[in-house]
Amino acid sequence: MTDRLSPLALMEKLISFPTVSRDTNIPLVDWVADYLDSHGIASHRYIDPDQPKHAIFAHVGPEVEGAVVLSGHTDVVPVDGQPWDSDPFTVVERDGRYYGRGTCDMKGFDALALWALVEAHHAGVKRPLQIAFSFDEEIGCTGAPPMIAAMQGVVPKGSAVIVGEPSMLQAVTGHKGGVGFDTRVVGFEVHSSIMHTGVNAIMAGAKLIEWANARNTENFTAKPTDLAAMFDPPFTTCHVGQITGGTAHNITAKECRFAMDFRVVPGEDKEAWGASYLEAVREVEAQMQEVVADTRIEVSTRFDVPALQPEEEGEAETLVRQITGDNASHKVSYGTEAGQFQEAGYSAVVCGPGDIAQAHQPNEFIEVAQFNAGHAFMQRLVERLCL
């Protein structure tokens, strides 16, 4: 039997796999499966049919429903162009911090969840424990829904999901949903001196970006609902973070590409926001085609993530509060896979070690004290499952 690795040793191993979202995560999943197998724990996979990526999930304890599920993702964001002081894929301890890509978001939690699963197995817990590790969370939470579907009927259905995104081990009971659209504006090139005879894709796209600016201004000045007021900012936001296009400064741009993203407060309909955006797209497209008929705007959905709705006396929230003693109300504006588990019939809460401010940053780190607090959380969880 393999030795039981410490949480730190597990984190060091997981981070050594450079599972940037654009690349495969299969070597990491293979290692996790082998490690669990060495302890007599069977694991299962969802295999993506379109790319070399796997999700992995496992169950220990009685073969009954009602497990606590520890949910994490295996992918990390790129390190390209970031000024790191050490190898991003090697855990380095200094000044009371563990540095490395994923220490905070979220291989630190994954390591703690793996540790807890093995300990729960050897302790003979009376209530089952599961792990569920997805892929492609960082590019829109696209890997969790098929994994959740694959879990049904393969392992007994769990009832309380703890999604371990960094929350400083606070019980986060609500977050915004999100929907994003890849937008490609196809214009018509002419010399800029006769720009009125062509269609500048960048300037047409700018109309849609200004539409987003106007919606943000409206939302900022409107009185928020009681539910929206729990978030910062207390309204749905429209955002464009990247834009590309154009050939030269004196040619009307043939093409423009950008992503339009919406972070939608619970209680609002993200499908309605998408429909509103598409209506604006069709209006701008019609203006383009009045000048040159063979122009267009193409829109495709990039991601669609449901909000985490606060639950009335939710099982997952109650469990986390009992373990942490945290009774305050916490809502966040970022999205997680918690809403997807909730949509699938699980009670869900977000609770993990680390500060979200460190996620995606150069020299990403988790405080040693936070990681140790996460270890203590898992120890108390396993103890509760033995009662």
Side-chain angles (χ1 to χ4, degrees):
M1 180 182 295
T2 300
D3 292 339
R4 299 188 210 177
L5 296 180
S6 69
L8 176 57
L10 288 166
M11 181 170 68
E12 290 173 335
K13 187 64 180 180
L14 295 179
I15 286 176
S16 72
F17 295 99
T19 52
V20 174
S21 296
R22 62 173 176 251
D23 300 324
T24 184
N25 72 334
I26 294 175
L28 180 150
V29 171
D30 286 344
W31 184 86
V32 170
D34 289 344
Y35 179 67
L36 294 179
D37 182 66
S38 73
H39 287 281
I41 301 172
S43 62
H44 312 272
R45 302 192 193 201
Y46 166 75
I47 299 174
D48 191 294
D50 300 318
Q51 58 180 340
K53 295 182 181 180
H54 296 175
I56 185 168
F57 52 95
H59 174 107
V60 301
E63 290 291 319
V64 296
E65 294 187 351
V68 175
V69 184
L70 301 176
S71 163
H73 59 80
T74 60
D75 58 318
V76 295
V77 296
V79 299
D80 308 49
Q82 292 187 332
W84 282 75
D85 296 330
S86 57
D87 178 359
F89 300 107
T90 300
V91 176
V92 174
E93 181 181 357
R94 64 178 183 271
D95 302 324
R97 298 168 174 175
Y98 293 127
Y99 288 88
R101 174 57 86 223
T103 49
C104 178
D105 183 20
M106 63 180 301
K107 289 180 178 178
F109 176 84
D110 292 347
L112 293 166
L114 270 178
W115 179 88
L117 191 77
V118 170
E119 292 301 309
H121 173 67
H122 289 296
V125 290
K126 296 180 180 179
R127 180 180 178 181
L129 182 68
Q130 296 176 359
I131 60 165
F133 292 171
S134 68
F135 57 85
D136 283 357
E137 191 274 347
E138 296 292 5
I139 58 174
C141 297
T142 57
M147 176 192 68
I148 295 168
M151 293 170 66
Q152 310 310 309
V154 176
V155 293
K157 186 165 184 175
S159 59
V161 178
I162 301 172
V163 177
E165 294 285 356
S167 72
M168 298 297 288
L169 290 170
Q170 296 174 332
V172 173
T173 58
H175 66 60
K176 292 183 178 181
V179 61
F181 299 95
D182 285 326
T183 305
R184 177 178 180 240
V185 185
V186 180
F188 187 80
E189 287 182 317
V190 298
H191 194 279
S192 60
S193 64
I194 53 170
M195 61 177 290
H196 64 290
T197 65
V199 174
N200 188 317
I202 292 176
M203 296 183 74
K207 294 180 180 180
L208 295 173
I209 295 172
E210 183 53 34
W211 174 89
N213 284 330
R215 301 292 80 72
N216 284 334
T217 298
E218 291 173 359
N219 291 347
F220 181 78
T221 57
K223 179 179 173 56
T225 65
D226 290 344
L227 183 55
M230 298 179 180
F231 294 84
D232 181 21
F235 53 84
T236 293
T237 56
C238 317
H239 181 256
V240 174
Q242 287 184 311
I243 184 169
T244 60
T247 303
H249 74 278
N250 60 349
I251 303 174
T252 57
K254 171 68 173 178
E255 183 177 271
C256 176
R257 293 176 181 266
F258 58 89
M260 180 69 71
D261 295 348
F262 300 87
R263 292 189 181 272
V264 183
V265 294
E268 291 188 10
D269 185 353
K270 56 183 169 53
E271 282 71 28
W273 274 101
S276 180
Y277 176 58
L278 292 178
E279 182 180 349
V281 166
R282 298 285 81 88
E283 290 178 1
V284 173
E285 183 181 60
Q287 296 168 12
M288 295 166 55
Q289 292 174 348
E290 286 180 0
V291 181
V292 178
D294 189 24
T295 57
R296 64 191 183 278
I297 303 177
E298 301 168 355
V299 176
S300 60
T301 302
R302 188 162 58 91
F303 67 87
D304 189 346
V305 181
L308 174 63
Q309 303 282 350
E311 301 172 3
E312 187 69 30
E313 298 182 353
E315 179 186 354
E317 173 188 354
T318 299
L319 174 63
V320 166
R321 292 194 187 284
Q322 289 172 342
I323 294 173
T324 63
D326 172 28
N327 291 314
S329 176
H330 306 286
K331 309 292 186 296
V332 295
S333 292
Y334 58 81
T336 78
E337 296 169 338
Q340 294 168 325
F341 274 99
Q342 193 177 62
E343 280 197 340
Y346 297 79
S347 173
V349 68
V350 176
C351 182
D355 187 341
I356 191 64
Q358 294 306 316
H360 307 178
Q361 296 298 306
N363 293 319
E364 177 184 346
F365 67 82
I366 187 170
E367 298 280 355
V368 172
Q370 265 292 293
F371 189 70
N372 291 342
H375 186 196
F377 176 98
M378 293 300 179
Q379 289 174 313
R380 291 193 290 271
L381 172 62
V382 172
E383 289 170 0
R384 293 184 65 86
L385 298 180
C386 289
L387 298 178

